[in-house]
Amino acid sequence: MNQILTVSQVNGYLKQLLDEDVQLKSIFIRGEISNFTNHIKTGHYYFTLKDQKASIKGIMFRWNTQHLRFMPQNGMNVIIFGTVQLFERDGICQIYCADMQPDGVGALYMAFEQLKEKLGREGLFDEEHKRPLPSMPSRIGVVTAKTGAAIHDILNILGRRYPVGEVVLIPALVQGENAPDSICDAIGKAEALHLDVLIVGRGGGSLEDLWAFNDERVAHAIYNCTIPIISAVGHEVDYTIADFVADLRAPTPSAAAELVAPDVQNLIRAVAVMRQELDAAIEETVRNQESRLEALKNRLRAKSPESVVSRWGEQLISLQGRLYAAAQQAAEIKSIAFKGLVGKLEALSPLKVLTRGYSITFLGEKAITSVKKVVSGDVLCTRLTDGSIISAVTKIEESKGAAGKPAE
């Protein structure tokens, strides 16, 4: 007769079988993630791994998830390494995931793309947040390893191109697990050093070597820094998250040294050209001002008292001439008019009549116009053309009137 087993006995037996199977203790499984859950409180990942015909439950505990370089997502094809066991309580066969890699693309690349997309949505790459670099910085900060090739390249190039600038090294780890915190700490220290610009970077290396500059903490440290930052990580083909967040990307640390400041020789040549242009401008300005001064002198001479008096004198002479001519003309006109009046006066003058044989008799001051105006004994004065006759009235004869009677 068959033995009757309890559910616990069956599940315990199945668990024992699975635990004793060496092949299931270290197994790789390829499949597609679905029903993915990130348990925030515990840090565990829960998911289902499936293919076209079957599925299996999966779990990845926090101590394994914290080493994962990317965030699993539904629909993602992955290769899981772990152990297949039976969850005895529920009788569920599931894989306990120790590591997970994207199927067909590297985990680091996947993590890079995921973080890039996330930070892009948050606006850390927006051009409106990019700050212009100073044209001639006085203090240039560099966050990099103090013994790396990057700082030597930067110092050599700046020493040759821009010796007037002061370079301040803020040393940091640029590789390894502690590198992101070290870089963030160095950027924070740079804030207090009164720098004009800051270079953050390192020399070339593998994607793993450069991974500190793909850390989200470093991205936010660069974004929140008040100093304009040039990212200079790796070689020309290497791109990191820091490159997208920084105000300017340089393909190499050497290129960053060339971008951060101008070549002093170019400045000297530019100053020489500007000096020539300034000299030419000054000469032209002097010529223009001299011409203007000469014009002002001419105007001043034209308005000087001597010139004014001279012009007024000329005007006075001209007016005198015109006045003399006008007076002479007026005198001639008046003379002609006077002669005409004299002629008329002479024609009407009683004296003119005397020349024709007539005379005028006065009694005192009054001319005698009637015999009735005199009496016998009056002394009369008779004026002739060539003199006067004084006589006394001895007899008065009055002309006959209308009745023909003689006057007495």
Side-chain angles (χ1 to χ4, degrees), residues 22 41 84 87 107 142 148 175 202 242 258 265 287 309 330 352 359 381:
V22 178
K41 290 184 178 180
V84 176
F87 185 43
V142 181
Q175 184 174 335
R202 56 155 290 162
E258 294 180 356
Q265 297 301 322
R287 286 195 298 269
V309 170
K352 190 70 173 178
S359 64
C381 177

Side-chain angles (χ1 to χ4, degrees), residues 267-313:
L267 292 178
I268 292 173
R269 287 190 288 270
V271 169
V273 172
M274 286 189 290
R275 182 174 181 177
Q276 293 177 355
E277 293 176 350
L278 181 60
D279 290 341
I282 291 174
E283 290 179 2
E284 182 177 0
T285 301
V286 170
R287 286 195 298 269
N288 293 337
Q289 293 302 321
E290 286 178 346
S291 300
R292 183 183 178 191
L293 179 61
E294 190 62 30
L296 291 174
K297 286 181 178 179
N298 294 334
R299 291 174 60 186
L300 183 60
R301 281 194 293 268
K303 293 183 178 181
S304 67
E306 182 180 355
S307 299
V308 173
V309 170
S310 176
R311 287 197 303 274
W312 286 355

